[in-house]
Amino acid sequence: MLDDGLKAAGARVRAALSEALAPMGALPVVAAMRYATEGGKGLRGYLVLESARLHGVDETTALPAAAAIEAMHGYSLVHDDLPAMDDDDLRRGRPTVHRQWDEATAILAGDALQTLAFELLAGAAVAPERRVALISGLARAAGARGMVAGQAMDIAAESAPEPLSLNEITRLQAGKTGALIRWSAEAGPLMAGADPAPLGRYAEAIGLAFQIADDLLDVEGDAGEMGKAVRKDAARGKATFVSHLGVAGARARAAALVEEACAALVPFGPEADSLRQLARFVVSRKT
Amino acid sequence: MLDDGLKAAGARVRAALSEALAPMGALPVVAAMRYATEGGKGLRGYLVLESARLHGVDETTALPAAAAIEAMHGYSLVHDDLPAMDDDDLRRGRPTVHRQWDEATAILAGDALQTLAFELLAGAAVAPERRVALISGLARAAGARGMVAGQAMDIAAESAPEPLSLNEITRLQAGKTGALIRWSAEAGPLMAGADPAPLGRYAEAIGLAFQIADDLLDVEGDAGEMGKAVRKDAARGKATFVSHLGVAGARARAAALVEEACAALVPFGPEADSLRQLARFVVSRKT
């Protein structure tokens, strides 16, 4: 059921992105932008649509914001995969953008995907002050206090003399993956002019659970099934939730976070069942 | 006089950027962001402040937009200088960001500078619908139909069998450098809710003149004085305005564009003298 919802939402978000990219012509950089937004699970776009639905915002209105977060996420993956960053050849079961094209195209495609995210939000059919709230929130989530801070900490950790503490990893991940996930869940209330705090708490918990699951998958997952390299953390001697807590401890922590996320959904009643399923999915997923 | 105006405006724009970067902490990526916005001529920020003044928008109100365009321009230079792009070691008389730090820091600093540009605009003290107009305009100018399109065409030209035609170079530059310059001049009227078309025409002409002057400087300039490498175009066999028009022809075309720019300023009377001086400056500058 969640799976159907994710798939259907993903198709509509991809269609919205495709429509936004169509007038940009046939340059390789535009093809690379499209490629970089394909093939993912679409969790962030789904969170935008579901948080919007919970606040009475119809899907047509919410779609630009859902497309925006998938563009922003796509940009972050393209740049993160670059040789100077994580140097990955495989993403979502396909060659990474710089392998499929070249590094220059990957840099530019990532750059233009970030720009596109803000362009989409500026064109959303909600009141201008709500568009500004979406834009301002996404800029804070993506910038040097949010996602980029997490990525920079991640890079700094590679050459640090000591492995990161559990607290440091938690802060790093709150930026690197947590900030965009949180914005996705806050987008619905922001579009409705409602309080984003309850869904913000929900998203903070699932964001962290998502990362713990990622660390577990790096240890236990299958590269073929996942469409990307595994066992990278241990090979690099990288401190992760699993290296600190062990497999059983990490699993228990992820389960506790799912409970925490669901507790934040109580005010929304059964309408929020899709978000409850999503919380369970992020820790049980195999890819 | 223009020189004093540029210097004074540059100092205030840098102060605004510094204030925006202060809460972002002490990560190397934040230091790199600051570094990347230092030492330039500040033409784009100046254009924002002057176009604002011409439309009765006070400088305090216009500063976030001026800081935003300098952040956006700084991002484009940092990424453009990367080894996979233009591979430059020197910029504004100092090592480029990837030489001063490393490639990963340069990629992230550029990414976060772009984000910062939108964050600054979202926080400008003008009505929300005018903030949205600024953001939407900048996104269109910077993205895959604007600046990134120009950069992508520039890269594609390097491996193209035929050198670019004059028309193609004009289109390339309208994206690569023209789009941000045009937005800078339109920012004032956009903040005032006025028609951006007259200053848009002014900016289109000076943007092209600026690029022709750049091509001339690459042929005639001094690397020490300019703070960056010269004779790069000829060494790469690159088609430029100078390779098509010759030195004298390029100079004549630039002068005609300055006249065109000044013609667009007629409705503004003597109040626009600073912009007239700027138009002359972009073609007479030595750096």
Side-chain angles (χ1 to χ4, degrees), chain A residues 42-281:
Chain A
L43 288 181
R44 292 160 190 78
Y46 182 74
L47 263 176
V48 169
L49 298 183
E50 286 299 303
S51 70
R53 189 183 54 74
L54 270 185
H55 288 82
V57 177
D58 65 64
E59 191 177 278
T60 312
T61 305
L63 263 175
I69 195 65
E70 290 295 337
M72 188 64 102
H73 177 54
Y75 127 64
S76 76
L77 298 180
V78 172
H79 281 191
D80 219 37
D81 287 337
L82 284 167
M85 307 275 290
D86 274 0
D87 193 14
D88 275 308
D89 296 334
L90 204 60
R91 166 73 69 184
R92 296 169 173 173
R94 301 195 298 181
T96 47
V97 172
H98 66 275
R99 299 290 292 173
Q100 183 74 10
W101 283 272
D102 51 50
E103 275 186 63
T105 303
I107 293 166
L108 289 175
D111 288 343
L113 279 171
Q114 174 172 194
T115 316
L116 177 63
F118 289 109
E119 185 177 352
L120 284 163
L121 293 179
V126 295
E129 63 269 23
R130 295 184 186 172
R131 279 183 263 176
V132 167
L134 289 170
I135 290 163
S136 171
L138 185 57
R140 267 179 280 127
R145 273 163 300 177
M147 183 173 72
V148 163
Q151 290 171 311
M153 288 159 72
D154 207 10
I155 288 166
E158 282 184 28
S159 55
E162 299 275 312
L164 295 183
S165 70
L166 197 56
N167 261 341
E168 288 169 326
I169 297 173
T170 306
R171 261 198 304 136
L172 187 161
Q173 295 300 346
K176 190 172 174 178
T177 55
L180 291 198
I181 290 175
R182 185 176 179 134
W183 181 90
S184 307
E186 290 178 343
L190 287 177
M191 283 187 270
D195 179 14
L199 287 189
R201 280 192 296 275
Y202 162 82
E204 203 164 343
I206 68 161
L208 195 52
F210 184 89
Q211 189 53 48
I212 296 175
D214 236 36
D215 289 353
L216 284 162
L217 280 170
D218 188 71
V219 173
E220 302 179 318
D222 175 79
E225 205 175 333
M226 290 178 67
K228 63 178 182 184
V230 293
R231 318 280 182 272
K232 282 170 47 186
D233 298 337
R236 295 181 188 183
K238 189 171 170 179
T240 68
F241 289 105
V242 175
S243 75
H244 276 286
L245 301 170
V247 166
R251 211 178 288 291
R253 179 90 187 92
L257 284 163
V258 170
E259 290 315 305
E260 209 178 292
C262 289
L265 296 176
V266 169
F268 298 100
E271 278 295 297
D273 275 350
S274 58
L275 293 183
R276 292 183 183 91
Q277 289 177 32
L278 185 68
R280 286 183 208 104
F281 169 73

Side-chain angles (χ1 to χ4, degrees), chain B residues 185-210:
Chain B
E186 292 177 342
L190 287 177
M191 283 186 271
D195 179 13
L199 288 189
R201 280 192 298 276
Y202 161 82
E204 203 165 345
I206 70 162
L208 195 52
F210 183 91

Side-chain angles (χ1 to χ4, degrees), chain B residues 141 153 265:
Chain B
M153 286 159 74
L265 296 176

Side-chain angles (χ1 to χ4, degrees), chain B residues 28-42:
Chain B
V29 68
V30 177
M33 290 167 74
R34 189 184 305 270
Y35 180 92
T37 57
E38 290 169 351
K41 290 179 284 295

Side-chain angles (χ1 to χ4, degrees), chain B residues 96-173:
Chain B
T96 47
V97 172
H98 67 274
R99 299 290 292 172
Q100 184 72 10
W101 283 272
D102 52 49
E103 275 188 61
T105 303
I107 294 165
L108 289 175
D111 288 344
L113 278 171
Q114 175 172 194
T115 316
L116 177 62
F118 289 109
E119 185 176 352
L120 283 163
L121 294 179
V126 295
E129 63 269 24
R130 294 183 187 172
R131 281 183 262 176
V132 167
L134 289 169
I135 291 163
S136 170
L138 186 57
R140 266 179 282 126
R145 271 163 302 176
M147 183 173 75
V148 163
Q151 291 172 311
M153 286 159 74
D154 208 10
I155 289 167
E158 282 184 28
S159 54
E162 298 274 314
L164 295 184
S165 70
L166 197 55
N167 260 343
E168 286 169 328
I169 297 174
T170 306
R171 261 199 303 137
L172 186 161
Q173 295 301 344

